[in-house]
């Protein structure tokens, strides 16, 4: 696909004409944050959650908020229209901007703002039908995973390990406990019917989807424990799943070659997926 209209620093351009400087700190230092937001039926899912986290990521890196949320929303909506995007995602990246290479933050750089769309089937997906087979890998990322930076080489390497093992994804493990998936949050449902997911800290990203799922699970009277859990606990769980803006709730059916439950997407995971999709579509804009 070479005919998308993308957004770069105030301009809507054909993707082949969009350019960013080689001195951009996003390129040189991964000095940039991003958000990925789902679009279904031409509507944006979880806008408020993504904008809130974006502001937090920028603040943690002492970066300027380049424009107000209303203008940012307008760009999202325009890109949906320009690209006739019915279902897929919008990627937004904000870098600290262009400056001579120097580890210190530059004082007067203007942020670079880039957005593009990507067509993807989200509501109907093989993930919900067949579930994900995952492996566990060491978590080799840095110590501020709560900031959504574009520093994604470690997750890329982990995803390749899964791919090379013939699996779909990986859960990362630190000090014996699962932190999260390579690009999603990780959950199990124990045989005692407790939904377990790691508590928020610098060790994981606070998923926008995670926050909503926990809210809907609570409303559905599902018992929740926010705490670290081990791979052994996961292997013995009755269900497991991941959450992210693009998978919503994605059932996990196998961990390190061990089937979870009966090896099929779990009932409660699928129910949570349905509730999530229904509720988030109600609030989509
Ligand atoms: N990834 N944890 C990590 C490490 C992630 O990269 C993501 C999202 C999540 C889930 O966050 P949310 O529910 O807000 O999407 C958790 C996006 C989808 C990506 O990088 O493509």
């Amino acid at each position: 696909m070479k005919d998308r209209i993308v957004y770069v620093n105030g301009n809507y351009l054909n993707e082949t004409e969009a350019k960013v400087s080689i001195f951009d700190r996003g390129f040189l230092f991964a000095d940039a944050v991003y958000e990925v937001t789902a679009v279904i039926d031409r509507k944006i899912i979880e806008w408020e959650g993504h904008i809130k986290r974006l502001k937090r990521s920028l603040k943690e890196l002492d970066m300027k908020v380049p424009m107000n949320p209303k203008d940012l929303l307008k760009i999202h909506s325009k890109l949906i229209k320009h690209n006739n995007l019915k279902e897929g995602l919008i990627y937004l990246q904000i870098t600290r901007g262009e400056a001579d290479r120097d580890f210190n933050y530059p004082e007067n750089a203007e942020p670079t703002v880039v957005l593009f769309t990507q067509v993807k089937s989200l509501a109907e997906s093989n993930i919900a039908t067949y579930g994900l087979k995952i492996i566990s890998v060491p978590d080799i990322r840095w110590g501020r995973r709560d900031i959504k930076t574009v520093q994604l080489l470690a997750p890329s390497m982990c995803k390749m390990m899964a791919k090379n093992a013939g699996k779909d994804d990986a859960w990362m493990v630190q000090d014996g406990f699962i932190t999260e998936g390579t690009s999603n949050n990780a959950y199990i449902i124990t045989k005692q019917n407790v939904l377990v997911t790691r508590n928020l800290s610098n060790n994981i990203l606070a998923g926008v989807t995670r926050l909503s799922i926990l809210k809907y699970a609570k409303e559905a009277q599902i018992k929740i424990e926010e705490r670290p859990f081990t791979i052994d606990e996961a292997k013995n769980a009755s269900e497991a799943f991941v959450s992210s803006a693009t998978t919503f709730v994605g059932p996990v059916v196998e961990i390190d070659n061990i089937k979870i439950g009966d090896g099929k997407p779990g009932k409660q995971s699928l129910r949570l997926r349905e509730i999530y999709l229904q509720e988030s579509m109600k609030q989509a804009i």
Side-chain angles (χ1 to χ4, degrees), residues 6-284:
V6 303
Y7 175 94
V8 183
N9 294 333
N11 301 307
Y12 293 88
L13 303 163
N14 184 283
E15 64 181 87
T16 55
E17 271 138 39
K19 287 187 178 62
V20 174
S21 163
I22 63 159
F23 298 109
D24 194 282
R25 288 182 59 93
F27 179 59
L28 296 178
F29 292 99
D31 189 359
V33 301
Y34 77 109
E35 284 295 328
V36 173
T37 309
V39 173
I40 296 184
D41 286 343
R42 302 176 204 282
K43 285 190 172 156
I44 301 162
I45 310 282
E46 298 257 31
W47 171 254
E48 295 295 334
H50 286 288
I51 203 73
K52 194 171 163 202
R53 186 175 60 196
L54 176 69
K55 280 190 194 160
R56 181 183 181 277
S57 294
L58 290 168
K59 187 163 172 268
E60 291 300 308
L61 295 175
D62 295 325
M63 272 167 72
K64 284 188 212 164
V65 181
M67 62 183 83
N68 70 46
K70 267 191 189 155
D71 290 333
L72 213 45
L73 179 58
K74 263 188 212 154
I75 302 171
H76 279 72
S77 303
K78 271 195 185 173
L79 285 183
I80 293 173
K81 274 211 186 99
H82 285 325
N83 294 294
N84 193 20
L85 182 68
K86 197 168 172 297
E87 189 162 320
L89 57 93
I90 301 184
Y91 176 87
L92 156 70
Q93 179 169 329
I94 300 174
T95 85
R96 199 182 301 276
E98 182 185 340
D100 249 357
R101 187 173 183 277
D102 183 353
F103 283 78
N104 295 328
Y105 298 165
E107 273 171 24
N108 301 313
E110 279 307 308
T112 302
V113 182
V114 170
L115 286 94
F116 59 80
T117 58
Q118 210 161 296
V119 174
K120 199 171 185 205
S121 189
L122 301 178
E124 300 290 325
S125 119
N126 280 345
I127 294 176
T129 313
Y130 302 109
L132 297 164
K133 293 180 176 167
I134 63 156
I135 57 168
S136 59
V137 297
D139 196 333
I140 55 170
R141 298 174 300 163
W142 75 327
R144 289 302 306 274
R145 302 158 192 162
D146 56 311
I147 311 173
K148 198 164 170 65
T149 72
V150 301
Q151 231 194 129
L152 295 176
L153 191 53
S156 266
M157 288 169 77
C158 294
K159 275 210 201 276
M160 285 313 295
M161 285 184 220
K163 191 177 175 187
N164 293 335
K167 307 298 178 189
D168 303 302
D169 207 344
W171 278 6
M172 298 177 285
V173 179
Q174 179 177 21
D175 301 330
F177 293 96
I178 292 155
T179 51
E180 57 188 331
T182 55
S183 61
N184 44 56
N185 291 115
Y187 308 72
I188 54 170
I189 299 175
T190 66
K191 296 213 166 90
Q192 293 73 40
N193 233 359
V194 181
L195 176 60
V196 184
T197 193
R198 195 174 174 116
N199 51 298
L200 296 182
S201 69
N202 290 352
N203 288 323
I204 65 168
L205 184 74
V208 171
T209 323
R210 176 189 180 280
L211 188 65
S212 294
I213 287 169
L214 291 184
K215 178 171 165 261
Y216 301 140
K218 201 172 166 201
E219 284 167 8
Q221 327 249 283
I222 296 170
K223 190 160 182 260
I224 299 165
E225 280 176 16
E226 287 183 72
R227 61 164 175 85
F229 59 94
T230 64
I231 281 289
D232 276 345
E233 263 188 288
K235 285 178 184 165
N236 287 310
S238 66
E239 297 187 25
F241 65 89
V242 296
S243 77
S244 77
T246 47
T247 48
F248 312 127
V249 173
V252 168
V253 295
E254 187 195 289
I255 302 176
D256 289 341
N257 292 315
I258 302 287
K259 273 187 194 170
I260 307 303
D262 60 2
K264 297 198 180 99
K267 278 201 185 81
Q268 301 211 64
S269 310
L270 291 176
R271 187 171 148 239
L272 276 171
R273 179 183 172 89
E274 220 178 280
I275 296 174
Y276 178 80
L277 269 165
Q278 252 173 27
E279 292 302 314
S280 51
M281 276 309 288
K282 278 187 205 162
Q283 288 151 41

